[in-house]
Structure formats: C-alpha cells, structure tokens
Amino acid sequence: MTTYTPIEDYGVVGNLETCALVSDEGSVDWLPVPDMESPSAFASILDAERGGSFRIAPVGDFDSEQRYVSRTNVLETRFRTTSGVAVVTDFMPVRSEYPGPVPERALYRKVACVDGTVDLAG
C-alpha cells in the first residue's frame, strides 16, 4: 500500500500566480504551472505512484524540520543526519512588471550543507 504525506507536513511557496507544496522530507509534490488553473507538473499528493515529484533529501535516516525565513515566503527544510546538516531552500520569485534578470514563473531550490557532510539523493 502506498502512503501519503499528511497535509500538515507540507510548506507552501508561491509567486501570486501559482504555488508549490514542499514536504518536510524534501519533496515537491504539487506544482501547477504556469498558474493555479494549469495542469500540475508534480502531483504525487494526489497519486503517489504516477503523480511525480521532485525530491532532494539525505540518503539514509534523517530528522527534518521546516521554517519560513522571517517575513518572507522562503521555505527552509533542514535535514539532520548522523554525519551533518543540510538545508534545502525553496522559493518562487514574484513576476515583476519590469523586465529583469529573474526568469518568470520559476521554482528555485538551493541546497547547502551547513555542518559536516550529508549525502543527498533525488
């Protein structure tokens, strides 16, 4: 039997046009693009076997916690393993009315090892 992540174990990032649900296990499980009415690029929250996801998480056992960077919609998922700590930072920039270097309608995922060493897998 396939198990599903409880809804309370998700954080959400968005850009005023769409949003992504990011689990505390480092998986983007819902992301309709380019807007909320569009089909979802990742939909494992609805169908764990065929819905698709984008996962970045440690290999092996880990503990995790999520938090928003103060006064932002930037989500950090912190992974603690026996060998170190890694942080995955997720955000979606708001599309500007002015042209600039930021691509429109993008989900950014930044990965950093902040202590020790952590082997990650997708």
Side-chain angles (χ1 to χ4, degrees), residues 3-12 20-29 45 62 64-68 75-77 79 90 109:
T3 61
Y4 288 88
T5 302
I7 195 69
E8 63 266 17
D9 292 344
Y10 284 96
V12 62
L21 290 178
V22 183
S23 80
D24 63 358
E25 294 188 357
S27 181
V28 177
D29 292 343
I45 194 168
F62 62 86
S64 67
E65 63 184 14
Q66 288 183 316
R67 72 172 194 91
Y68 290 96
L75 181 66
E76 292 182 342
T77 305
F79 299 104
D90 293 290
R109 304 198 85 192

Side-chain angles (χ1 to χ4, degrees), residues 10-83:
Y10 284 96
V12 62
V13 295
N15 65 0
L16 304 176
E17 296 180 59
T18 191
C19 66
L21 290 178
V22 183
S23 80
D24 63 358
E25 294 188 357
S27 181
V28 177
D29 292 343
W30 178 254
L31 176 59
V33 286
D35 53 50
M36 289 298 291
E37 293 81 23
S38 301
S40 187
F42 305 113
S44 65
I45 194 168
L46 300 177
D47 186 337
E49 294 178 18
R50 296 181 298 156
S53 63
F54 176 16
R55 186 174 191 259
I56 301 171
V59 174
D61 294 333
F62 62 86
D63 290 321
S64 67
E65 63 184 14
Q66 288 183 316
R67 72 172 194 91
Y68 290 96
V69 175
S70 180
R71 300 177 56 91
T72 73
N73 191 30
V74 176
L75 181 66
E76 292 182 342
T77 305
R78 181 173 295 264
F79 299 104
R80 295 185 195 285
T81 70
T82 57
S83 63

